[in-house]
Amino acid sequence: MQVKTTKLPNVESCFKQLIASPSISALEPELDMSNQGVIALLNDWFGDLGFRCSIEQVQDSRGKHNFVATIGQGTGGLLLAGHTDTVPFDEQGWVQDPFQLTEKDNLWYGLGTCDMKGFFALVLAAVRELPLNDIKHPLYILASADEETTMNGAKAFAEQKSIAPDYAIIGEPTSLKPVYMHKGHLTQGIRIIGRSGHSSDPAKGLNAIEVMHQVITELMRLKQDLAANYREDAFTVPYPTMNFGHVHGGDAANRICGCCDLHLDIRPLPGLPLVDLEMMVSNYLEPIATQYPGCIQISQLYPGSEAFADSTDNPWTQLVSELSGHQAEVVNYATEAPYIKKLGCQTLVLGPGSIEQAHQPNEYLDTKFIQPTVTLLKQLIHHACFK
């Protein structure tokens, strides 16, 4: 295998080019962007290093793609995974151009520096320093589409089961602390369709706010039951949470409310699949739905994400903890980890930068993470792919 390195840019140049290639994911079509530019850069760079590269379109993604680079033969090995997309940005909140890498006080500003296009630049920096001709087990790089919205990229890749690595690292910003477990996320919209009318004769209408009061009462019972029956003490909030984030109904004090909406957020623990949680909501509201046929509509506000759990006892977690100098921990935000784990690999979330910078105006990566990340990645690749 002949490795070509003449074309490869340095770390800062990789960051600059990745940040300069907008790849926003949004549910709103007018904000949503292609990830083609990022994919093209990764395809060129990893191809120049001798990786076998493939690009596949992701269904239900407005024409976006996953990118996979592979080097080495045989079984097992390591998957380094990340997403190509960023969240939208508030132009008024940014001091710098979000699509131009700006350095100030040892901080690299730009949309995606931390969350998380910059991770790929550091992976590239790590692998270019390794003797890739001597690799014994495959090294895979996955750059997925639409993590910030549907996670359809990771879901599609997991369903294909085209690779079977022993280990996986997902490079989300964790301050280089390994994460072995996180909660999931489900958001539902509940709409009550009543019958409007004049408030002077309530019997001629059906007040959607009053029905919603019954719905919330039942959901409060579910909230209490979830807290009583599901527990994981590793989390600071050790039970599934439920939040009533939005409620709106009616248009005038003298008019019977004909429609009322509630937006619901539930964060399940590992071991509580989203499909089971959705069924629980439906079952708790079934008596009200029977009393008022056709009155209750339950919808998904946007695609949910499953909870994730690996183990602190497996060899991979122990090795990564030792090399990183941090014990594995849990977090409350969601990642692609539950889908990557479906490949059958021991899976951890670990990457440079702080989650406090994710989804924030003037996002930055502290440059103090750059060399430690490259060093740690080289160590992990050595253990998984060269031994």
Side-chain angles (χ1 to χ4, degrees):
M1 182 194 311
Q2 183 64 39
V3 177
K4 300 177 292 182
T5 60
T6 55
K7 294 182 183 179
L8 291 176
N10 62 24
V11 169
E12 184 174 358
S13 180
C14 287
F15 266 83
K16 285 181 178 178
Q17 293 181 61
L18 289 168
I19 301 312
S21 182
S23 53
I24 289 171
S25 283
L27 296 176
E28 301 83 3
E30 65 274 14
L31 297 177
D32 200 42
M33 294 180 177
S34 170
N35 67 342
Q36 181 177 353
V38 175
I39 294 293
L41 290 170
L42 298 179
N43 187 66
D44 287 345
W45 294 338
F46 284 101
D48 284 343
L49 276 173
F51 281 74
R52 304 182 299 278
C53 299
S54 64
I55 300 171
E56 291 199 13
Q57 185 167 330
V58 177
Q59 290 187 350
D60 302 321
S61 69
R62 300 193 183 107
K64 300 182 189 182
H65 296 78
N66 283 343
F67 168 82
V68 181
T70 306
I71 198 164
Q73 305 289 340
T75 59
L78 171 64
L79 169 64
L80 299 176
H83 58 84
T84 58
D85 58 324
T86 71
V87 293
F89 67 98
D90 179 4
E91 189 170 359
Q92 294 179 339
W94 278 78
V95 176
Q96 302 85 10
D97 182 343
F99 300 116
Q100 179 177 331
L101 186 70
T102 303
E103 182 174 3
K104 183 179 180 181
D105 298 328
N106 296 318
L107 306 177
W108 282 1
Y109 290 89
L111 184 61
T113 51
C114 179
D115 186 21
M116 60 165 292
K117 291 189 288 187
F119 176 69
F120 297 113
L122 300 181
V123 172
L124 189 78
V127 298
R128 70 190 300 174
E129 297 179 8
L130 293 171
L132 297 177
N133 290 321
D134 299 330
I135 197 167
K136 296 180 179 179
H137 302 282
L139 172 63
Y140 306 98
I141 314 298
L142 168 65
S144 64
D146 279 352
E147 186 272 350
E148 298 290 6
T149 50
T150 64
M151 298 202 183
N152 280 343
K155 292 174 183 176
F157 184 74
E159 289 300 318
Q160 291 173 351
K161 294 189 181 297
S162 57
I163 66 172
D166 289 330
Y167 315 108
I169 292 289
I170 301 171
E172 294 278 4
T174 68
S175 298
L176 291 184
K177 299 176 182 179
V179 169
Y180 74 96
M181 184 162 56
H182 64 63
K183 291 183 179 181
H185 188 206
L186 175 68
T187 58
Q188 290 188 308
I190 299 175
R191 171 166 289 181
I192 306 301
I193 304 297
R195 293 189 305 276
S196 60
H198 199 282
S199 62
S200 63
D201 194 347
K204 290 185 177 181
L206 176 61
N207 194 308
I209 293 176
E210 293 182 6
V211 179
M212 184 63 81
H213 172 72
Q214 298 180 49
V215 165
I216 292 175
T217 298
E218 289 304 304
L219 291 174
M220 287 295 295
R221 284 205 312 115
L222 173 57
K223 179 179 181 178
Q224 294 166 357
D225 288 350
L226 288 171
N229 295 306
Y230 296 87
R231 189 173 185 88
E232 174 51 70
D233 288 328
F235 290 100
T236 54
V237 181
Y239 49 83
T241 59
M242 177 184 294
N243 181 63
F244 304 116
H246 165 97
V247 63
H248 177 80
D251 49 27
N254 62 352
R255 179 174 164 85
I256 297 170
C257 176
C259 182
C260 187
D261 286 303
L262 170 68
H263 292 178
L264 188 68
D265 171 291
I266 308 178
R267 305 290 174 126
L269 296 172
L272 181 53
L274 297 188
V275 64
D276 292 355
L277 196 54
E278 291 170 347
M279 186 61 69
M280 289 180 185
V281 172
S282 179
N283 288 342
Y284 269 74
L285 300 185
E286 180 60 31
I288 304 173
T290 300
Q291 183 180 357
Y292 304 105
C295 181
I296 300 179
Q297 298 176 356
I298 303 175
S299 63
Q300 188 180 68
L301 293 178
Y302 51 84
S305 54
E306 300 286 353
F308 158 70
D310 209 293
S311 170
T312 57
D313 297 327
N314 66 44
W316 183 239
T317 303
Q318 293 178 353
L319 173 66
V320 177
S321 296
E322 178 183 350
L323 293 176
S324 68
H326 299 284
Q327 291 298 311
E329 59 185 29
V330 304
V331 295
N332 289 314
Y333 53 85
T335 76
E336 295 173 323
Y339 308 107
I340 297 302
K341 187 172 171 56
K342 288 184 177 181
L343 299 173
C345 46
Q346 298 176 33
T347 303
L348 292 171
V349 184
L350 177 144
S354 169
I355 193 62
E356 299 300 324
Q357 290 303 312
H359 303 188
Q360 299 299 314
N362 304 306
E363 174 188 344
Y364 66 78
L365 177 71
D366 193 320
T367 57
K368 71 180 183 181
F369 284 109
I370 291 177
Q371 190 53 52
T373 301
V374 172
T375 299
L376 180 57
L377 287 173
K378 288 168 60 179
Q379 293 172 323
L380 296 177
I381 295 168
H382 174 76
H383 279 271
C385 302
F386 285 85
K387 285 191 171 183

